[in-house]
Amino acid sequence: MRTVYVEELARHVGEEVLIRGWLFNKRSSGKVRFVIVRDGTGFVQGVVTPDADPETFELAEHLPQESSLKMWGTVRADPRAPGGYELSVRKIEPVHIPKDPFPIGLKEHGVGFLMDRRHLWIRMRRQVPLLRIRDSVLWAIRDFFRKRGFVATEAPILVGTAVEGTTTLFPLDYFDRTAYLSQSGQLYLEATCMALGKVYWIGPVFRAEKSKTRRHLTEFWMAEAEVAFLEHEGNLALQEDLVRHIVEFVVEDRRRELEALERDPETLLKEVREPFARVTYDEAVRIVRDHGVEMEHGDDFGAPAEDALSAHFGRPVFVERFPKEIKPFYMKRAPDDPSVALCADLIAPEGYGEIIGGSQRVDTEEELLEQLAEYNLPREPYEWYIDLRRYGSVPHSGFGLGVERTVAWIAGIRHIRETIPFPRMIDRLYP
Ligand code: 4AD
Ligand code: MG
């Protein structure tokens, strides 16, 4: 007798197998009782008839939701069964029977209620496939970079300086000084890429975002890449290849999960098939205004502006050449117009917002010192970063992809709080 996972049932049609999992739901129809069991890899329906042993037939009626159990039965292919396979159950043996009813029923609950029970909510219908899609997105990123000869590296989380502006820093006591939680590993990846050529990392980053939106977390995961001798155009090509790879990989790897979320894989594939759109900031502002969204030239794009751009293009769009004032100190300026940065944001289709921010980096000591001064940043804590421009400086570029926003887009989930097991937001530290 084989112990198998639900996702392996297709290979065991006609055999008796053992499934270990949790009771998700049950119902009766005449003399037959149905138990839906989940085991992390999927959901399977067990069919219990009066031919099963009497104790099992009884359990199928009375076991409460989220009882953990072992279930023996014969695998049957049935196109009507959810997932395509079901089990003719011979025996059920409980592992643990909850004393109290599971707090999350199968009916609708408010988001606050669910978020307070996130540790249990993650077991439910939508959450399981979603977290499996997240896993696949992370694998896709690693697969892409490894195949291209990038070296995986790390950046510290405890840092002494800001990367992405000083307003979203989390300070903490660090012995006799103040340290901050890192907003991005970029500055350190710039150093590492001068040692290893092309590098990436995937890690948690932190921003004291005071706004509550469906696109902002205070702790989120970023996949960042940095490449020596890479310039702006090559940087965009790399990002485009990465995003296309992620979509193709996940569609192949997690088709069942996408279907469970009613996300059409064809929509995703179609969005990334053509070359991504490209506009300048100036053009983007005009398009946004044409769509009836008000914004001043010089403002950053808010959610309504991003949504207008995404509706306009219907596929990912790079917005290039932002005014330098709304971008960080480290971006190189365009050679033909020093008022704009040599950068791009990638806006996802269907209103999922900016998923990548990237740029070519300042590569001379003189420019860097000027730009630090322009942003009123002290020179001393950045001395090591300035060194990178003193010893064999080369043009280099990189970017950071927001993992949760990418998962939200691919899975078709509106709010990024569901794309990470335990989201952190301005009003959320529990559980
Ligand atoms: O555009 P950002 O701020 O870029 C950087 O941090 C660069 N240093 C990255 C680099 O060049 N290495 O952030 C990158 C991406 C955004 O495009 C967005 O997808 C995501 O990170 N992001 C957030 N995701 C969730 N919650 C937040 N508060 C986020 N802020 C940024
Ligand atoms: Mg950005």
Side-chain angles (χ1 to χ4, degrees):
M1 159 104 44
R2 291 260 203 134
T3 304
V4 303
Y5 285 100
V6 169
E7 67 178 355
E8 300 164 341
L9 287 177
R11 285 185 257 138
H12 298 281
V13 175
E15 296 172 32
E16 180 166 301
V17 297
L18 164 61
I19 294 277
R20 296 168 305 177
W22 295 262
L23 181 71
F24 182 73
N25 196 6
K26 58 183 192 302
R27 66 191 166 84
S28 296
S29 165
K31 281 236 145 54
V32 186
R33 289 165 189 175
F34 300 95
V35 289
I36 314 280
V37 172
R38 56 169 197 86
D39 75 344
T41 71
F43 295 75
V44 65
Q45 174 167 282
V47 183
V48 189
T49 65
D51 297 341
D53 79 83
E55 212 176 317
T56 293
F57 195 62
E58 219 17 56
L59 285 166
E61 176 79 12
H62 296 297
L63 268 187
Q65 187 188 350
E66 286 305 308
S67 296
S68 47
L69 53 82
K70 295 178 181 173
M71 177 166 82
W72 288 262
T74 305
V75 184
R76 277 206 316 239
D78 184 343
R80 289 163 309 166
Y85 300 91
E86 59 181 27
L87 230 57
S88 298
V89 178
R90 179 172 63 80
K91 183 178 158 68
I92 291 173
E93 185 183 295
V95 176
H96 175 245
I97 303 177
K99 285 201 196 69
D100 299 316
F102 193 63
I104 305 176
L106 300 172
K107 59 176 177 9
E108 291 284 308
H109 291 284
V111 165
F113 178 93
L114 291 169
M115 289 293 284
D116 287 342
R117 292 157 186 81
R118 182 66 180 163
H119 52 298
L120 303 175
W121 185 23
I122 48 179
R123 304 180 183 192
M124 307 301 286
R125 264 278 190 231
R126 239 153 55 109
Q127 305 305 315
V128 170
L130 190 43
L131 293 178
R132 291 172 64 88
I133 289 169
R134 177 187 173 96
D135 153 77
S136 189
V137 167
L138 290 165
W139 269 109
I141 295 168
R142 296 192 170 103
D143 182 63
F144 176 85
F145 284 123
R146 177 141 187 108
K147 282 186 178 140
R148 296 212 168 195
F150 281 64
V151 177
T153 186
E154 283 78 32
I157 299 299
L158 293 170
V159 296
T161 53
V163 200
E164 297 296 320
T166 50
T167 57
T168 62
L169 283 172
F170 278 115
L172 54 103
D173 287 337
Y174 192 76
F175 306 103
D176 55 351
R177 296 178 271 173
T178 300
Y180 306 97
L181 295 176
S182 179
Q183 300 164 304
S184 154
Q186 179 197 320
L187 304 189
Y188 294 93
L189 259 58
E190 287 185 56
T192 319
C193 89
M194 299 302 165
L196 298 166
K198 21 184 192 178
V199 296
Y200 78 100
W201 89 305
I202 305 176
V205 291
F206 305 85
R207 303 222 179 148
E209 300 278 2
K210 287 175 194 81
S211 53
K212 282 203 227 174
T213 82
R214 64 185 174 87
R215 291 176 189 164
H216 289 92
L217 299 171
T218 52
E219 174 178 326
F220 61 99
W221 285 65
M222 214 192 277
E224 298 189 90
E226 199 67 34
V227 185
F229 295 102
L230 186 72
E231 302 194 37
H232 178 66
E233 284 297 320
N235 195 22
L236 296 201
L238 182 66
Q239 293 168 42
E240 182 164 339
D241 289 351
L242 169 64
V243 170
R244 190 170 292 122
H245 180 77
I246 297 173
V247 169
E248 288 171 352
F249 185 102
V250 176
V251 161
E252 169 91 27
D253 191 42
R254 294 287 189 239
R255 192 167 277 271
R256 231 169 15 106
E257 286 79 1
L258 290 169
E259 277 166 13
L261 296 173
E262 291 171 7
R263 183 69 163 135
D264 177 20
E266 291 313 313
T267 306
L268 286 167
L269 290 172
K270 197 160 153 276
E271 284 168 351
V272 299
R273 200 166 288 144
E274 303 283 313
F276 294 2
R278 279 171 75 161
V279 282
T280 62
Y281 172 88
D282 292 354
E283 288 163 342
V285 170
R286 276 196 291 277
I287 292 169
V288 165
R289 287 180 177 156
D290 283 349
H291 283 253
V293 179
E294 276 178 44
M295 75 178 279
E296 295 291 319
H297 191 277
D299 286 351
D300 211 342
F301 299 108
E306 284 179 352
D307 294 352
L309 287 171
S310 111
H312 185 82
F313 290 99
R315 61 198 155 117
V317 51
F318 285 113
V319 181
E320 299 176 83
R321 296 170 75 95
F322 279 73
K324 65 180 166 74
E325 291 79 13
I326 53 172
K327 286 294 174 191
F329 74 95
Y330 54 71
M331 290 187 180
K332 194 175 174 66
R333 307 277 151 89
D336 58 330
D337 179 1
S339 76
V340 301
L342 215 45
C343 68
D345 283 1
L346 183 66
I347 316 287
E350 300 175 68
Y352 290 94
E354 176 202 323
I355 52 170
I356 297 185
S359 70
Q360 188 163 337
R361 321 304 191 187
V362 172
D363 54 15
T364 70
E365 181 177 358
E366 297 71 38
E367 285 167 298
L368 182 54
L369 291 177
E370 268 171 38
Q371 291 183 203
L372 281 170
E374 242 177 72
Y375 287 77
N376 290 317
L377 289 167
R379 173 171 163 168
E380 199 181 285
Y382 293 96
E383 218 38 69
W384 68 270
Y385 185 69
I386 305 167
D387 264 354
L388 305 177
R389 282 77 186 160
R390 293 186 181 121
Y391 303 103
S393 186
V394 297
H396 62 289
S397 305
F399 61 88
L401 170 139
V403 170
E404 288 74 19
R405 292 191 192 172
T406 304
V407 173
W409 164 45
I410 291 179
I413 295 291
R414 302 314 295 177
H415 202 300
I416 64 170
R417 68 187 157 216
E418 289 182 51
T419 63
I420 183 165
F422 295 97
R424 294 288 171 250
M425 289 167 290
I426 187 166
D427 55 357
R428 177 64 54 188
L429 266 177
Y430 179 92

